[in-house]
Amino acid sequence: MKRLTSICALSATIWAVLSCGQAERKAETPVYLDESRPLEERVEDALSRMTLEEKVKILHAQSKFSSAGVPRLGIPDLWTTDGPHGIRPEVLWDEWSQAGWTNDSCVAFPALTCLAATWSEEMSALYGKSIGEEARYREKDVLLGPGVNIYRTPLNGRNFEYMGEDPYLASRMVVPYIQEVQKNGVAVCVKHFALNNQESLRHQYDAIIDDRTLNEIYLPAFKAAVQEGGAWSIMGAYNLYKGQHLCHNQYILNDILKKDWGFDGAVISDWGGCHDTDQAITNGLDLEFGTWTDGLTMGATNGYDAYYLADPYLERLRDGRASEDVLNEKARRVLRLNFRTAMRKDKPNGSLCSPEHYDAARRIADEGIVLLKNNDNVLPISRKAGSRILVVGENAVKMMTVGGGSSSLKVQREVLPLDGIRAAAGEGVTVEFERGYVGDISGSYNGVVTGQDLSESRSAEELIEDACLKAKDADAVIFIGGLNKASHQDCEDSDRFGLGLPYGQDAVIEALAKVNPRLAVVIVSGNAVAMPWVDNVNAIVEAWYCGSQSGVALADIIFGDVNPSGKLPITFPVRLEDNGAHALGAYDPTSTEAHYSEGIFVGYRWAQKKDIKPLFAFGHGLSYTTFSYSEAEISRTTMSENGNVTVSVNVTNTGEREGKEIVQLYIGDDECSVERPVMELKAFRKVSIKPGETVKVSFPVNADMLKFYGTDGWTLEKGSFTAYVGAASDDIRTSVKFNVN
């Protein structure tokens, strides 16, 4: 199909090489086509054979999602795809509109907030393996994800695509994802590098931030992606830093990414993120995409030749304003990306919409859903014959895989929460539904249409009255609400207007709580929400966006077929003002300057600094069993700069069913020359424990875990430190002190 031209060119090249001079001798395979040769030799050989025009040609898009290869040399085109949660459907060559394929559906995997909530590197690896196989089957070379921008404000519309508020957690979760995707011969494109922490004025705002905050909070996950994950490409962010757009930023891309971190892959612009030819040439961009929305705006025969890294670059090279050495370095990086992906012969075949992928989506969701509250054992719900369950809320019946921006998907199937609950309830249990509220009744994005009819003729008052009438006599009530993928909710290109639930949901929940104490509130979202009714509700679940298996996984938790083990990768504040950026007025969606005035005090760091009790803390999550912790032990109480200590604790399942506990290690610097957080996450481990069983969990602690970023770079100061071990950032069970000298 789309690769026919490239395949034919490659075949012709190989045939010409092998057949040339047959009467005299058998030709040797060129170095660049010989996969047995070292990668760098192949890159240099290909580069030496390319014309100036061909080198420029591979640096920019030729369609919405592809860039050109070198047909003369048999080097194929590169094909990219959104997104981090599933493989986007095909669009037309020059437009966002759907191409109309019937075989480009996919499995939607849980949003990355849900993956982060698993606190499981095993689940991250499973995620990467599965989505990588889907990308490979669809002949994609570059997967535009995952995203690891830090959760700075709960209003950021794109938080659901990222891995939470803590740089250490995001660092550990991103590495297995990358490694497993790339085993399929598909490159990840980690995004959005860097400081893309809001959607408001995302093309205009300049991030004003100090070096310490940049290095301690906003760069570590990207650094891990490059140095540990081995990411083959990185996507620049839309916004600015130091007055330069981040798709061509000297300090971030050249100095930090390529020089300091040793990144050997390609920097790819976000679609429309390139703004200037001279800066694109000198400031680290390698591959330009999406500069104009339809690719033909310039009115030329091929509008892509008008891109900043196209004819304008070629003109500068021809008249001597641009150096060919810089061009060669860009071309090397793009060739390296191509040889690792499109040119790789031993790629696996991949698979699409397989039973294994649906199972993976379910397992990840099962481990990521978080039980926030469960008084009076409201959950799990009994399947007693003759019982009646009432489900209330639009999110029980609304497809969530369509919309939200570039992560919108065309799924083969999506099990809705109501359908999942009905299927799992079994015979003899009646499951009824009431709408409760009307939110977003639309159901399309870029030509993908859900086909759902969510129209409603009843008033808000009538909807609440009808729901309460049925709730009075129900054995259990499940309210399923939260946010959705509409603009100004969890959606690219817009931020939320506030922390509260939209569409009058608070009134519905309050009314239901008054008529039935057996109420469980399920929040579907990628962001924290306010809960003014929290004291009146006995059970609360954060269900995230769980993709194709949403309803199946939620039913697993609701009925207790799976013991919940997810924990929050973000802090749920009581009020917006309990968040550092908002407390200091540092988030202004109307300003072209984003001042990171809260510094390193993001999320739980701010709450602990100000002694603020969160609604639900970072790391919080309950189980249907209970766990006890022994006193922490330490291998030695004094540690040298080059040494290490080990902190250990015994964790016992004191309940009646097997469960998984996420044991968390935080470290606090008791005496330091600079202000530091009360404590910071430095390690975690997810362990499965049977009833009555005790498991020993040990955490090695080294000097790098104790450093802060000072005027001279990463600094370790001698003195006293405290290791805190617990079940959440606000649920520390034991601690032990040690000294560094």
Side-chain angles (χ1 to χ4, degrees), residues 392-398 435 437-441 454 480 484:
V392 180
E394 181 177 281
N395 282 1
V397 295
K398 180 177 175 60
R435 181 73 172 265
Y437 70 94
V438 177
D440 173 39
I441 64 171
L454 296 178
I480 304 177
N484 55 43

Side-chain angles (χ1 to χ4, degrees), residues 327 364 503 595 622:
L327 170 66
I364 294 163
Y503 313 127
H595 292 267
L622 304 178

Side-chain angles (χ1 to χ4, degrees), residues 260-280:
D260 293 349
W261 295 354
F263 176 65
D264 70 353
V267 173
I268 299 176
S269 74
D270 203 343
W271 270 231
C274 185
H275 300 272
D276 180 87
T277 292
D278 293 322
Q279 289 194 30

Side-chain angles (χ1 to χ4, degrees), residues 59 97 122 132 221 273 463 701:
L59 303 185
S97 302
E122 178 188 356
L463 287 168
V701 178

Side-chain angles (χ1 to χ4, degrees), residues 128-287:
K129 176 181 183 295
S130 303
I131 197 171
E133 288 171 347
E134 298 237 336
R136 176 83 290 282
Y137 188 88
R138 287 269 303 279
E139 289 286 331
K140 304 304 180 183
D141 303 308
V142 181
L143 177 68
L144 303 176
V148 289
N149 293 101
I150 292 297
Y151 186 107
R152 180 185 177 227
T153 163
L155 300 189
N156 181 14
R158 216 162 181 181
N159 278 335
F160 72 98
E161 291 188 45
Y162 303 142
M163 296 189 179
E165 71 185 35
D166 186 80
Y168 179 79
L169 176 62
S171 296
R172 299 280 49 83
M173 293 301 294
V174 75
V175 169
Y177 181 117
I178 292 170
Q179 293 171 334
E180 293 298 322
V181 167
Q182 294 188 164
K183 286 179 182 178
N184 288 280
V186 176
V188 297
C189 186
V190 184
K191 60 186 187 182
H192 304 87
F193 190 56
L195 300 169
N196 185 187
N197 308 108
Q198 65 185 61
E199 290 298 287
S200 297
L201 298 182
R202 62 178 179 166
H203 293 275
Q204 290 88 35
Y205 78 83
D206 195 351
I208 313 300
I209 186 172
D210 63 89
D211 286 346
R212 183 184 176 195
T213 302
L214 177 68
N215 282 275
E216 289 192 20
I217 303 296
Y218 296 97
L219 293 187
F222 288 104
K223 185 177 183 180
V226 170
Q227 295 190 334
E228 298 178 56
W232 292 338
S233 65
I234 294 283
M235 180 184 288
Y238 280 135
N239 50 293
L240 298 89
Y241 170 65
K242 293 184 181 289
Q244 293 179 345
H245 279 93
L246 280 156
C247 283
H248 33 69
N249 188 287
Q250 168 65 29
Y251 183 64
I252 291 293
L253 299 181
N254 284 339
D255 293 346
I256 292 180
L257 178 64
K258 294 182 176 178
K259 180 182 176 183
D260 293 349
W261 295 354
F263 176 65
D264 70 353
V267 173
I268 299 176
S269 74
D270 203 343
W271 270 231
C274 185
H275 300 272
D276 180 87
T277 292
D278 293 322
Q279 289 194 30
I281 292 171
T282 60
N283 292 354
L285 180 64
D286 300 310
L287 191 48

Side-chain angles (χ1 to χ4, degrees), residues 345-654:
K345 296 177 183 176
D346 64 344
K347 295 188 292 282
N349 292 325
S351 55
L352 185 69
C353 298
S354 67
E356 291 80 6
H357 292 171
Y358 281 106
D359 181 65
R362 178 178 186 172
R363 289 176 58 195
I364 294 163
D366 281 344
E367 293 213 18
I369 292 174
V370 183
L371 179 61
L372 297 174
K373 182 178 180 181
N374 194 26
N375 291 353
D376 297 333
N377 295 319
V378 168
L379 296 176
I381 292 173
S382 169
R383 292 186 176 97
K384 182 179 178 181
S387 62
R388 191 167 66 86
I389 299 170
L390 175 66
V391 177
V392 180
E394 181 177 281
N395 282 1
V397 295
K398 180 177 175 60
M399 286 183 66
M400 292 294 186
T401 54
V402 176
S406 61
S407 63
S408 178
L409 299 170
K410 182 171 82 174
V411 293
Q412 184 188 51
R413 66 174 183 264
E414 177 179 349
V415 181
L416 300 172
L418 178 61
D419 294 333
I421 290 169
R422 279 180 168 155
E427 295 182 8
V429 178
T430 301
V431 178
E432 298 180 284
F433 173 72
E434 277 293 335
R435 181 73 172 265
Y437 70 94
V438 177
D440 173 39
I441 64 171
S442 64
S444 65
Y445 186 86
N446 278 151
V448 177
V449 180
T450 65
Q452 291 185 294
D453 181 5
L454 296 178
S455 59
E456 178 60 63
S457 60
R458 290 172 290 177
S459 67
E461 293 75 15
E462 289 173 324
L463 287 168
I464 294 176
E465 182 179 350
D466 289 348
C468 288
L469 189 63
K470 290 184 179 179
K472 288 179 182 178
D473 300 321
D475 295 288
V477 180
I478 307 169
F479 175 85
I480 304 177
L483 306 179
N484 55 43
K485 300 290 188 67
S487 293
H488 297 292
Q489 296 206 41
D490 285 321
C491 185
E492 180 185 359
D493 202 25
S494 64
D495 287 341
R496 298 166 66 194
F497 292 126
L499 189 63
L501 287 173
Y503 313 127
Q505 293 178 71
D506 290 337
V508 183
I509 295 170
E510 292 280 11
L512 292 172
K514 288 179 181 178
V515 300
N516 196 322
R518 306 291 297 175
L519 168 66
V521 172
V522 176
I523 299 297
V524 177
S525 75
N527 260 311
V529 299
M531 300 182 186
W533 34 262
V534 64
D535 293 334
N536 301 324
V537 172
N538 284 318
I540 305 172
V541 174
E542 172 55 62
W544 314 111
Y545 298 108
C546 285
S548 290
Q549 295 284 59
S550 293
V552 179
L554 180 59
D556 286 341
I557 300 298
I558 290 293
F559 291 113
D561 298 329
V562 170
N563 194 351
S565 63
K567 300 212 174 191
L568 291 178
I570 58 177
T571 299
F572 274 52
V574 175
R575 310 170 306 148
L576 197 55
E577 295 76 19
D578 292 344
N579 170 278
H582 294 275
L584 299 175
Y587 167 81
D588 182 354
T590 66
S591 175
T592 55
E593 289 188 345
H595 292 267
Y596 286 59
S597 308
E598 72 280 9
I600 62 172
F601 294 98
V602 176
Y604 68 90
R605 292 167 169 83
W606 176 265
Q608 293 178 344
K609 170 185 168 71
K610 295 296 183 180
D611 197 23
I612 297 171
K613 181 176 175 56
L615 182 65
F616 295 107
F618 173 82
H620 171 78
L622 304 178
S623 170
Y624 293 148
T625 190
T626 54
F627 303 96
S628 66
Y629 288 60
S630 69
E631 292 295 320
E633 297 180 350
I634 193 164
S635 58
R636 62 179 65 87
T637 57
T638 302
M639 175 177 146
S640 66
E641 182 178 358
N642 297 319
N644 59 73
V645 298
T646 299
V647 177
S648 301
V649 64
N650 291 324
V651 182
T652 302
N653 184 338
T654 54

